[in-house]
Every structure is written in C-alpha cells, then in structure tokens.
Amino acid sequence: MGKPYVQATLTQMGNPKAILFFGALVPQFLDTGSPLLPQYVIMFAVTFIGESIILTGYGALAAAGGRKAGLRHAVWRERVSGLVLLSLGVLAALYSA
C-alpha cells in the first residue's frame, strides 16, 4: 500500500473530471436546513471507502495481469501495437488525400 497507493490517491483527487462530477453530484444530496459539515464528512467517508475499494481492485487486477503477461508477451504486444499504429497512420495518410 505504499507510495503507489498515495500517488494514485493524489492523482484521483486532482482529477478535474472527478472534481466537476462531485461538484455537480454532492449538492443534490445535501440538506441545507441541517449542519453541512457532518454531511460532508459522511459523504467524504462513503466516497473515500468506495473509491479505495474500487481502485484497489483495479490495481490488483493490473498487478495480476502484469505477472501473467511476462516479458515474452510484452515484446509481442509491443510489436502488434506498433504494427496497428503504423497501419492506422498509413490509412490516415491514404484517405486524407
């Protein structure tokens, strides 16, 4: 859970899409007649726990996939990706004329 977890958390917190999403979503669930601080704390806790579970799951899946895809697979993946990108570039050049 060390440095990568902290880096991912900070990245997610600085994500402009997430900031806009929560800026639009959160006010709908606030009761303006009640104190706001406890409501914000509860929403933060629920969101933080939910995001932590989801992002930890994504990270575990990515780590498992990285272990399964060894160096031999990585070389072929790079070759196929390069071929696809070159092909798309050639097609774009041919059809743009």
Side-chain angles (χ1 to χ4, degrees):
M1 295 276 285
K3 187 176 178 182
Y5 185 80
V6 171
Q7 183 178 2
T9 302
L10 292 175
T11 301
Q12 185 68 5
M13 286 172 52
N15 183 355
K17 291 183 290 186
I19 293 170
L20 288 172
F21 175 76
F22 285 108
L25 180 75
V26 168
Q28 299 177 31
F29 297 100
L30 295 177
D31 179 15
T32 55
S34 300
L36 292 176
L37 184 60
Q39 295 178 68
Y40 280 123
V41 170
I42 291 169
M43 287 192 154
F44 172 78
V46 168
T47 302
F48 183 78
I49 291 168
E51 285 285 319
S52 295
I53 291 169
I54 291 168
L55 293 177
T56 301
Y58 286 159
L61 284 173
R67 284 190 297 273
K68 291 223 183 246
L71 184 59
R72 182 174 61 101
H73 296 293
V75 169
W76 280 103
R77 184 181 62 238
E78 294 296 324
R79 289 178 183 168
V80 170
S81 298
L83 181 64
V84 168
L85 289 173
L86 285 172
S87 301
L88 289 173
V90 168
L91 286 173
L94 290 175
Y95 286 109
S96 66

